[in-house]
Amino acid sequence: MSYNNILVEIIDKVAKVIINRPKKLNALNKETIAELHTAFAELEADKTIRAIILTGSGDKAFVAGADISEFADFDVSEGAKLAKQGQELLFDFIENLSTPVIAAVNGFALGGGLELAMASHFRVASDNAKMGLPEVSLGVIPGYGGTQRLPQLVGKGKAMEMIMTAGMITAEDAQNSGLVNHVVQQEELISLCEKLAKKISYNSGTAISAAIKAVNANFKDGVNGFGVEIEQFGNCFGTEDFEEGTTAFLEKRKADF
Ligand code: COA
């Protein structure tokens, strides 16, 4: 499948999804969001793909936010629809994928860009990355899950400060705050993400999918995460991966998932 705004590359069991609007600092317009949804849905359906790296093209930006030119004249109902559709099509969709998504934050991750990185399962940043939720400087608030996911990752006080000041934090600050797991030089960003993805790909995909469901349950209203863990743990015992994993251990060989 070919796209206008994104590139998809597959090497071995790892896919790379690259948002490719460098002249607009990879800002998320409606078409890009729709293309990302389609690409992620296709990669999720392909059970040979064991991890996805999400990044931006160029060396300046991951994503500099939602495309401001598209919503500048929206009214109240159009604004609500924009947030709802975006959350459903992309942000919640990525968070709930069975296939792990690593955000490789290679520069500005602002507004919808940071929200996209936060919807991914974890984040790695280049040392030039700058992150923030600048929406209140535009007279709006984060609408793609930022008010919910940022406090989950950095705590309420830090999230409040970042949202209220509309400022940007450095990659180092983001790492100290728990927003990103690793910071590396820009030239090393993709290779570190590939290493992590490869490591993930050696493990059981069905077990990883169950683990994502259980961890996500911790953050869902009205859902008993411990209950989900029990259910998912039990389900693992009925999988071929469990049989292979435990048999391989007992036979003193590496499991082949
Ligand atoms: N939406 C639409 N276009 C955007 C954009 C966005 N979120 N972010 C950047 N762009 C465009 C700029 O309009 C510019 O386009 P042009 O060359 O046609 O004029 C191009 O990308 C380059 O951006 P520019 O502002 O010239 O780069 P810079 O290095 O001077 O500044 C930023 C970089 C990230 C600080 C600045 O682009 C910015 O503040 N962007 C908006 C961030 C934001 O508020 N995001 C939240 C949106 S809800």
Side-chain angles (χ1 to χ4, degrees):
M1 176 120 187
S2 76
Y3 300 100
N4 294 325
N5 305 279
I6 66 172
L7 303 168
V8 179
E9 295 169 2
I10 297 173
I11 299 177
D12 204 3
K13 295 173 175 173
V14 177
K16 218 180 290 162
V17 175
I18 304 162
I19 300 158
N20 190 29
R21 301 181 74 213
K23 287 190 182 141
K24 294 289 174 190
L25 302 187
N26 303 320
L28 292 178
N29 59 5
K30 209 175 162 192
E31 191 183 27
T32 307
I33 289 179
E35 288 184 359
L36 284 167
H37 173 84
T38 305
F40 277 107
E42 282 190 357
L43 293 169
E44 171 88 339
D46 181 344
K47 291 302 163 203
T48 65
I49 303 294
R50 308 295 286 279
I52 302 169
I53 297 167
L54 173 62
T55 195
S57 74
D59 55 10
K60 199 169 164 187
F62 173 72
V63 170
D67 192 320
I68 298 166
S69 65
E70 276 193 348
F71 63 76
D73 61 356
F74 274 14
D75 64 17
V76 170
S77 70
E78 289 170 313
K81 196 171 155 200
L82 179 75
K84 189 171 188 294
Q85 279 186 344
Q87 288 190 17
E88 286 171 3
L89 266 182
L90 190 58
F91 299 81
D92 294 352
F93 189 72
I94 289 182
E95 184 172 68
N96 291 307
L97 285 180
S98 299
T99 315
V101 180
I102 306 171
V105 181
N106 58 313
F108 289 115
L110 302 174
L114 181 54
E115 290 171 304
L116 189 59
M118 292 194 294
S120 303
H121 296 115
F122 63 89
R123 290 143 293 284
V124 180
S126 57
D127 54 4
N128 67 326
K130 292 265 170 58
M131 283 158 261
L133 293 178
E135 285 85 348
V136 299
S137 70
L138 298 164
V140 67
I141 67 167
Y144 288 149
T147 64
Q148 306 304 297
R149 292 192 181 98
L150 188 60
Q152 288 169 5
L153 287 161
V154 304
K156 186 176 172 185
K158 176 91 180 169
M160 285 286 197
E161 182 183 333
M162 285 177 66
I163 291 168
M164 289 174 187
T165 60
M168 296 183 207
I169 64 169
T170 61
E172 191 188 358
D173 191 358
Q175 186 178 23
N176 292 337
S177 312
L179 187 51
V180 304
N181 293 9
H182 307 273
V183 177
V184 288
Q185 289 188 340
Q186 192 159 40
E187 314 80 76
E188 291 163 19
L189 179 66
I190 297 301
S191 67
L192 175 59
C193 291
E194 284 170 349
K195 254 185 229 157
L196 292 164
K198 192 113 211 128
K199 210 165 172 188
I200 289 169
S201 76
Y202 295 138
N203 296 317
S204 157
T206 52
I208 285 172
S209 156
I212 290 172
K213 287 193 183 77
V215 174
N216 280 348
N218 185 234
F219 300 97
K220 292 199 167 129
D221 273 350
V223 174
N224 176 358
F226 289 97
V228 173
E229 184 180 277
I230 290 167
E231 189 192 341
Q232 292 297 327
F233 180 81
N235 288 347
C236 290
F237 286 70
T239 65
E240 282 175 14
D241 277 7
F242 176 72
E243 199 179 328
E244 166 61 9
T246 49
T247 306
F249 179 82
L250 296 172
E251 290 174 355
K252 300 193 186 304
R253 63 173 172 83
K254 269 197 162 172
D256 180 15
F257 293 117

